[in-house]
Every structure is written in C-alpha cells, then in structure tokens.
Amino acid sequence: MKIGIAGARGSIPTPTGKTLFDRNVTTEKYGGNTTCVYVQGDDGSEHILDAGTGIRDLGVYLATRGGFNGKEGKELNLYISHTHWDHIQGLPFFVPAYIPGNSIRVYGEAKVKGLHPGTKASLESAIAEHSDQPGNLPGLLQVEGDGLRTVLKKQQDFRNFPAPLEVLKGIESYLDFVPGSTVYETATLKIDTCGLNHPGNSISYRFTETKKDKSKKDGSKKDGGKKIFVFSTDFEPDQNGFDDKVIHFWEGADMVMADAQYEPRDSDVKVNPFMVGWGHSDYRTDLQMAAAAGVKKLVLTHHEPKMGDNYHDALERRAQEEAKAISERTNRNVHVELAKEGTWYEV
C-alpha cells in the first residue's frame, strides 16, 4: 500500500509566514496542516484517515488526478479517529465531497452509550438493530440523533459555515461503529479498529494487506505475505508508559504512525512538557511500545503547534538516540522518524 501525509500537526494549524508578532518559528519542514493521511491499497482502493486541514489539498489532488469529475464517480473511504476540531475541520473544504456521483463513506466511532445507556445488553441490542443493513459488517451502525453525521452537521450549521452538510452530495453514507470492529474487508485488505485513551476516546485503525503471490524462477509461486500499517493518533499511555491493548494492536506492524506531541514525562527538555490528562503521548513511550510490538518503522506525528522545525529536528535526533539505546538493550530494532507533510511511504 502507498501512504501519503497530508497533515501532521496537532491541535491547530500552524502556517509559516509573516505574522503580527515576530516569531523565530518555522513549520515548513514538518508542515502546518492538521491531521490527514492518505492510503492507497494495492487493489486501487482509496482511504483517508482524518479530515484535518490537510484534506483540502488532498481533495484538490484527488479531484484533478483521481477521476472525481461527476461522470464516472469514485469510491473513497474516510475514517475519523475522533471528532475533535483539528481532525474534522478540513471536511467542509474537501472538494470531492461536493461532487455528485462520488461514493464517499465516512466512518467514525458510535457514541452508543448516549443512545442506549450503559449496559452491555443495550450495546448488543444497538448492534442488532443497526447492523442488518445491506453490506454492513457486524458492529457497523448508522446511528440517528447523536451519530457521526449529526456531529459533522453541527460543524456546518449556518452559524458556523455557509454550506450545510447536505450540500456534500459526494458523501454516500455516514457509518458509526463500535471500537474493536472490522470496518472494511475485501479479499486483499482488512481494516480493524481499537479504542484509545483520549478525552472523549479516539480510534486507532489497522490496515492489513495481503500481497499477491510472487512468481519464482522455477515457475512456482511464493507467498506474497502481508503488510500492516497502523494509525494511532491522539492517545495517552497509562502511568507505566505502556498500554497492553495498544501494543497488541501494533503487533507485527511494518509501519505505525503514532502520536508523540509531548516530551517524555521525565525529559530534561522543558519547553514542551508532558501534559497529563490531555490525551497525547511522547517519543520514548511510543518507542518502548513499538519495540515490544515488533514494529519495523515508527513515524511520530501530531506535532505540538507552538514548536517549529528546529525543535522537531532535535526531537527526531533524541528519538533516534533512544531507538538505538532500546536496540542495544533488547536487540529489537525500530526505525523512527518524524512525520513530514508531503512525505510518501510504500508498505
């Protein structure tokens, strides 16, 4: 699969340019757009993780290169980690969503508790009620009232934005799911979900792609194997610095993109301290978890908005030194780097 970073900033956009106040902070290298990641499967399927401000430029790219012309139509899936503003604020500027004939499916966590209070039985009844719609996987709902569509609609209320959600004719459906569900599955690609520790909760997505068998010189076939990419933004690990559930979800991944907004709790660097309870992680904890999970490549994202390129260059060096130390202690090698807007990866 091919993975492109359209936005890697956390909390609020941070463009570089002339401002009212003199600031010695630039964000050109790592980017200023809030979270948005593009994934293209080997089967040609197209997927977007989060709708931060980075989705605007991605939408222009897709509209000019991807056949979003209102005649053929195009299938596309958008997965929302959570509906905090920096992860949805770009949706009203996503060009393909306005083009009739496109088939965009938007996925997000079902806040079922508010509709079916508090018990396992009521959650099971909610799944039973909503999961029987044609084409839906078990645990995939379409919730009215407090569902994903309602939340996104509020962002485009006439007092907040001139175009209402109903104008986005390219969006086919809004699908709510229970964390732990599989939300997408074909013969070659499966997408699973996991709930994360964040205020209001956040969702991690795991892409597992089955590669085609490869031909050997003797004419026989070699198993193409599987490739795994995990997206885990906006999570705060527990007080021990580990979260067994997340480690299990990351297990064996070729690449994990993970939140590392703050410095480690015991860091000597004081300009960007760890904020307990704010729902974000740090490079040291991510590296420890990645090593435990056998992750090959760790890409750190959701960059702190007040910090610029020089700080993040130094943070990347510290992370790479930490990765080397972990390798020497555990004999587990994790390649680590910071997410940079405009970067493409092949997994």
Side-chain angles (χ1 to χ4, degrees):
M1 69 190 92
K2 188 177 181 182
I3 301 160
I5 300 177
R9 189 64 55 170
S11 304
I12 193 170
T14 55
T16 292
K18 187 175 181 180
T19 65
L20 181 61
F21 308 102
D22 291 330
R23 293 185 306 134
N24 188 25
V25 175
T26 61
T27 60
E28 292 177 358
K29 185 173 182 179
Y30 295 92
N33 279 304
T34 52
T35 304
C36 182
V37 175
Y38 173 64
V39 180
Q40 186 176 61
D42 286 353
D43 60 0
S45 62
E46 294 175 286
H47 310 267
I48 299 175
L49 293 156
D50 276 342
T53 56
I55 203 172
R56 190 190 74 85
D57 280 348
L58 176 59
V60 173
Y61 170 85
L62 293 174
T64 56
R65 293 172 174 81
F68 287 92
N69 55 21
K71 297 178 181 178
E72 302 171 10
K74 192 78 169 181
E75 290 188 6
L76 177 70
N77 294 326
L78 170 60
Y79 308 92
I80 304 297
S81 65
H82 61 306
T83 54
H84 285 168
W85 197 14
D86 51 325
H87 296 263
I88 64 172
Q89 63 193 158
L91 183 61
F93 302 91
F94 184 50
V95 172
Y98 288 88
I99 301 176
N102 290 334
S103 298
I104 301 171
R105 291 160 64 93
V106 186
Y107 296 78
E109 182 190 0
K111 304 296 186 183
V112 179
K113 187 174 181 180
L115 297 174
H116 309 271
T119 67
K120 183 178 179 181
S122 66
L123 178 59
E124 289 174 345
S125 67
I127 294 173
E129 178 184 349
H130 293 284
S131 293
D132 58 355
Q133 298 170 47
N136 280 6
L137 295 167
L140 206 56
L141 322 175
Q142 286 186 310
V143 179
E144 296 297 330
D146 288 339
L148 177 66
R149 186 182 188 279
T150 302
V151 176
L152 296 176
K153 184 175 181 178
K154 290 177 181 177
Q155 181 180 222
Q156 292 184 230
D157 180 89
F158 75 96
R159 292 164 293 185
N160 304 324
F161 193 78
L165 194 67
E166 289 77 11
V167 176
L168 277 62
K169 299 295 186 181
I171 296 181
E172 175 188 279
S173 57
Y174 300 85
L175 296 166
D176 304 79
F177 61 82
V178 177
S181 302
T182 297
V183 295
Y184 181 89
E185 188 168 13
T186 66
T188 58
L189 183 62
K190 182 183 179 186
I191 303 175
D192 295 301
T193 63
C194 175
L196 299 173
N197 179 32
H198 186 72
N201 208 29
S202 181
I203 298 296
S204 178
Y205 293 91
R206 178 182 171 103
F207 290 67
T208 302
E209 186 170 65
T210 303
K211 296 290 185 178
K212 294 181 180 178
D213 294 346
K214 299 178 181 178
S215 297
K216 299 168 71 174
K217 290 183 179 179
D218 62 4
S220 62
K221 294 288 186 179
K222 179 183 178 182
D223 183 3
K226 294 182 178 180
K227 293 292 183 180
I228 297 170
F229 164 61
V230 183
F231 176 75
S232 292
T233 191
D234 291 61
F235 78 96
E236 182 173 341
D238 63 29
Q239 292 301 308
N240 294 319
F242 291 95
D243 188 321
D244 291 341
K245 179 179 69 172
V246 178
I247 292 172
H248 178 71
F249 199 65
W250 290 7
E251 189 171 353
D254 296 275
M255 177 174 157
V256 169
M257 191 173 295
D259 182 309
Q261 183 162 339
Y262 300 136
E263 291 288 335
R265 287 178 172 87
D266 57 352
S267 176
D268 294 331
V269 179
K270 303 304 181 185
V271 292
N272 184 27
F274 194 95
M275 304 298 289
V276 175
W278 287 32
H280 299 286
S281 189
D282 64 273
Y283 70 81
R284 181 171 297 156
T285 302
D286 290 354
L287 276 165
Q288 292 171 340
M289 294 171 67
V295 172
K296 295 182 178 69
K297 181 192 287 287
L298 176 65
V299 180
L300 306 174
T301 191
H302 209 269
H303 306 320
E304 168 61 36
K306 68 175 178 285
M307 310 310 297
D309 290 340
N310 291 339
Y311 167 83
H312 285 108
D313 281 342
L315 187 146
E316 185 174 63
R317 289 193 295 270
R318 291 196 297 277
Q320 290 168 349
E321 291 169 0
E322 184 76 19
K324 183 178 179 181
I326 289 174
S327 175
E328 291 172 351
R329 291 197 307 269
T330 66
N331 201 31
R332 294 199 171 191
N333 297 315
V334 181
H335 174 83
V336 62
E337 60 188 69
L338 264 65
K340 299 176 181 67
E341 189 176 324
T343 303
W344 291 91
Y345 296 92
E346 292 276 356
V347 174

